[in-house]
Amino acid sequence: MTSLIQPSLSGGELAPSLHARVDLAKYQTGLKTCLNTITMAHGGASNRPGFQYICEVKDSSKAVRLIPFEFSSGSTIGQTYILEFGNLYMRVIKDGGQVLEANKTISGATQANPVVVTATSHGYTNGQEVFISGVVGMTELNGKNYKVAGVTTHTFQLQDMTSTNVNGTGYTAYGSAGTAARVFTLTTPYTEAQLFRLKYAQSADVLTVCHPSHAPRDITRTDHAAWTISTITFAPTQAAPTSASGTAN
């Protein structure tokens, strides 16, 4: 049986009319089918990025960088993420959605401009982002992200992602139930201009990140919505001995 070596895939996908043109140079580097794949100039090929819309970034007017985080692949479920690095923050995407903090129970929502949501001791601050679901009656609120404004201890107003008040005067009256969950956001020292100079390496649940303008840092995951960032200390963990002495012969 004849065995042929394919030295490169850089020729991309050949049209059916060229399948017999063995005399062409591109034939030696071409593919019959190149489905959901990107060919590289240096000869290899890789899977293309996905096209599914997951969510809007925190601020669409600024650049962001997506970094993969994979603790374990194969049979282990629930341990792969996409990290959204933006201007001074990091967010986490998992299983086709944003990672959220614990739910806060909604007990009311007004048909007003803006909509005012009641959630006892919610703990939110102005400008934070929440996801609302499960509301009965005023179902227009469900399945969307909102910015929080006008915060009091037990209430907050809703704005859309452009910081425009959500007008609920035409919405159905609130009936019952519903939850609000804050989008998990980790504060980082990296500005928008620094994102694409970040170098990183991962070991298990720790992502080590370096940038010329910052001390190296470890980003550590302990749960889906539990991530911390800490500066790496290079000092020795064992103290130098104080009792040693020596004499010259």
Side-chain angles (χ1 to χ4, degrees):
M1 183 175 68
T2 302
S3 177
L4 299 176
I5 297 175
Q6 180 92 8
S8 169
L9 305 175
S10 61
E13 184 173 316
L14 301 180
S17 58
L18 298 177
H19 285 177
R21 291 299 305 274
V22 296
D23 58 317
L24 297 177
K26 285 289 185 182
Y27 188 91
Q28 306 304 321
T29 60
L31 296 165
K32 179 181 179 180
T33 303
C34 186
L35 181 64
N36 292 332
T37 306
I38 298 174
T39 57
M40 306 298 182
H42 52 268
S46 66
N47 293 337
R48 65 159 178 82
F51 292 147
Q52 182 180 359
Y53 176 80
I54 301 300
C55 60
E56 185 175 351
V57 298
K58 183 179 179 181
D59 186 348
S60 295
S61 68
K62 298 182 182 296
V64 300
R65 182 177 178 185
L66 302 181
I67 293 178
F69 186 100
E70 183 178 18
F71 174 76
S72 179
S73 58
S75 60
T76 303
I77 299 175
Q79 299 189 60
T80 57
Y81 307 85
I82 293 294
L83 306 182
E84 174 196 322
F85 280 82
N87 186 53
L88 304 176
Y89 78 91
M90 185 200 83
R91 288 183 170 182
V92 184
I93 299 169
K94 174 184 177 294
D95 294 340
Q98 293 172 307
V99 170
L100 307 174
E101 297 180 4
N103 289 334
K104 300 293 183 179
T105 301
I106 293 174
S107 57
T110 64
Q111 292 172 292
N113 184 15
V115 174
V116 179
V117 174
T118 301
T120 303
S121 302
H122 52 74
Y124 302 152
T125 59
N126 291 336
Q128 292 183 330
E129 192 174 331
V130 297
F131 178 81
I132 291 181
S133 62
V135 173
V136 177
M138 195 179 287
T139 55
E140 294 90 344
L141 298 180
N142 290 333
K144 299 175 185 176
N145 284 31
Y146 301 92
K147 289 185 178 180
V148 170
V151 166
T152 69
T153 302
H154 304 301
T155 67
F156 55 89
Q157 300 171 5
L158 296 183
Q159 295 181 338
D160 64 20
M161 297 306 294
T162 64
S163 299
T164 302
N165 288 340
V166 174
N167 186 349
T169 55
Y171 288 3
T172 309
Y174 173 81
S176 63
T179 59
R182 181 164 49 195
V183 177
F184 174 80
T185 305
L186 178 69
T187 300
T188 73
Y190 309 116
T191 65
E192 176 189 10
Q194 296 171 339
L195 295 179
F196 294 95
R197 293 195 69 188
L198 296 180
K199 302 295 183 182
Y200 60 91
Q202 183 189 341
S203 176
D205 270 331
V206 179
L207 184 76
T208 301
V209 183
C210 298
H211 187 278
S213 300
H214 301 279
R217 284 169 166 79
D218 281 338
I219 297 177
T220 305
R221 182 207 75 152
T222 53
D223 202 349
H224 300 319
W227 301 68
T228 57
I229 184 169
S230 59
T231 302
I232 299 174
T233 301
F234 291 98
T237 57
Q238 183 175 354
T242 58
S243 60
S245 62
T247 59
N249 293 326

